[in-house]
Amino acid sequence: MGTIEERLRKHAPATPSRWREKAVWRKENKSWLRYSQLVAMRMLDQMANEGLTQKALAERLGCSQQYVSKILKGQENLSIETICKIEEALALELLPKELEVV
């Protein structure tokens, strides 16, 4: 029948797992990922309030539904331009409109 280790190896995937690389990437990008997740949560709340689908939001933003899906996963490094488009499409304020000059 074989040892437990042999039986486990029989069920191992052919390609190695990339969990370690993904964990390192998340740690290295932790600061902006947090903002991306917050933006995604605010978008999802507003979409639910409006009964808006990803496809409908994509039409408002002028992009593909697949890109909206990527944004809503909270792991997309958004440009200021994209954030402004999201604000306009969903009537949200994600960035402060005035910044204090020091």
Side-chain angles (χ1 to χ4, degrees):
M1 181 143 197
T3 67
I4 293 174
E5 187 175 337
E6 290 170 344
R7 287 185 280 168
L8 287 173
R9 286 187 199 280
K10 196 170 26 171
H11 297 288
T15 57
S17 173
R18 295 187 52 211
W19 71 268
R20 185 178 305 272
E21 292 91 359
K22 289 178 184 179
V24 168
W25 180 85
R26 281 192 306 272
K27 186 175 182 179
E28 290 172 351
N29 296 286
K30 184 179 178 181
S31 60
W32 70 260
L33 278 170
R34 175 66 61 206
Y35 287 111
S36 183
Q37 292 163 353
L38 292 171
V39 167
M41 289 187 296
R42 300 248 342 255
M43 289 175 67
L44 287 166
D45 286 343
Q46 188 64 21
M47 289 171 66
N49 289 342
E50 293 185 33
L52 204 60
T53 64
Q54 289 184 14
K55 184 177 179 180
L57 179 57
E59 290 172 5
R60 288 186 188 183
L61 293 172
C63 66
S64 68
Q65 182 272 326
Q66 290 82 1
Y67 184 61
V68 170
S69 177
K70 283 179 72 172
I71 294 170
L72 294 175
K73 289 179 183 175
Q75 294 186 348
E76 191 66 17
N77 193 353
L78 302 168
S79 68
I80 293 174
E81 178 184 10
T82 302
I83 291 171
C84 288
K85 287 180 181 181
I86 293 167
E87 288 180 326
E88 291 174 7
L90 293 174
L92 286 175
E93 185 173 332
L94 300 169
L95 294 175
K97 297 300 178 211
E98 295 180 20
L99 297 174
E100 184 179 331
V101 179
V102 181

